[in-house]
Amino acid sequence: MTRLRVAILISGGGTNMLSLINSMTGDHPARPVLVLSSTPEAGGLEKAQHFEIPTAFVDHRDFPDARQQFEAKLNQALRSVSPDIICLAGFMRILSAEFVESWHGNILNIHPSLLPKYRGLSTHRRALAAGDHFHGCTVHRVTGALDDGPILGQSTVPVTSNDTEETLAARVLAAEHILYPEVLRRVASGNKTPVIWP
Ligand code: GAR
């Protein structure tokens, strides 16, 4: 059986990356072929190495004011493994429309809010400040617009009256770890039904 090839892009601790890697076993239609970081310090790189998955980094700080060159290096690393799907998993750089379009809709992203609410940063703080009773996370196809694109899955969590940014972030992250693997499995299987969970 030919399995789809998945590259995972990270910038940090890589807990979503781990949940994706752990899911791609057995009869799963995809396998991880590369973990690529925007910084050499990302804790996720070492975690991926434990699974003997090839890793690489392109340090965004080497390309101040030169996003095109940064993206050219990313593309070089990606093209070398011919991925079918690219999963952004806590990848904290904005990608240009040209870069995104060159991958023909095959880039997925997880965002810690119920999009279209709270695009960008500090999503948990903004949900608390707004007095929201529900918050959550979204997996979507990446387009040229920030935290936009067709929604492939969403998971809702309650906001409690004594939540802090940290407690809410932890609850959302736990939901991310379930949602993202489920969406990836569906996308890799060609199943177009969005994941709505719970
Ligand atoms: C996750 O909460 C993810 O949704 C968020 O960064 C965190 C990464 O954690 N991504 C974004 O905010 C992207 N806009 P992880 O490195 O442990 O997976």
Side-chain angles (χ1 to χ4, degrees):
M1 178 183 177
T2 310
R3 304 199 189 264
L4 297 186
R5 301 167 65 78
V6 176
I8 305 173
L9 268 58
I10 63 169
S11 298
T15 65
N16 276 290
M17 171 208 77
L18 271 186
S19 75
L20 292 174
I21 290 173
N22 280 321
S23 74
M24 283 184 268
T25 59
D27 67 352
H28 196 291
R31 289 290 185 269
V33 294
L34 176 69
V35 171
L36 178 58
S37 171
S38 62
T39 156
E41 290 94 19
L45 286 173
E46 207 182 314
K47 291 176 191 154
Q49 283 154 12
H50 288 303
F51 291 83
E52 299 185 355
I53 296 166
T55 61
F57 65 85
V58 180
D59 194 340
H60 67 94
R61 290 161 299 193
D62 291 342
F63 307 92
D65 311 316
R67 187 161 70 175
Q68 254 188 330
Q69 287 169 32
F70 171 65
E71 291 184 348
K73 288 283 180 196
L74 286 181
N75 257 333
Q76 203 178 347
L78 287 168
R79 301 271 175 218
S80 74
V81 296
S82 307
D84 301 294
I85 301 173
I86 297 170
C87 289
L88 309 185
F91 184 72
M92 302 308 278
R93 310 306 303 171
I94 293 174
L95 297 167
S96 70
E98 293 72 27
F99 180 93
V100 170
E101 279 157 21
S102 75
W103 289 97
H104 309 292
N106 292 318
I107 307 180
L108 317 183
N109 180 44
I110 187 149
H111 183 73
S113 79
L114 293 172
L115 291 173
K117 272 190 158 184
Y118 312 132
R119 296 187 168 98
L121 299 175
S122 308
T123 58
H124 312 304
R125 191 182 317 160
R126 288 154 71 197
L128 286 173
D132 289 353
H133 295 293
F134 293 98
H135 186 42
C137 50
T138 303
V139 178
H140 64 98
R141 278 193 201 276
V142 176
T143 64
L146 179 68
D147 298 329
D148 202 4
I151 289 176
L152 301 170
Q154 284 191 312
S155 178
T156 304
V157 304
V159 181
T160 66
S161 55
N162 48 8
D163 259 331
T164 62
E165 213 176 316
E166 289 71 30
T167 59
L168 186 54
R171 194 174 307 121
V172 172
L173 191 62
E176 293 182 37
H177 296 159
I178 296 169
L179 180 69
Y180 209 176
E182 185 54 34
V183 170
L184 176 62
R185 183 183 277 273
R186 283 202 196 173
V187 168
S189 315
N191 179 343
K192 293 191 166 55
T193 317
V195 179
I196 304 299
W197 179 83

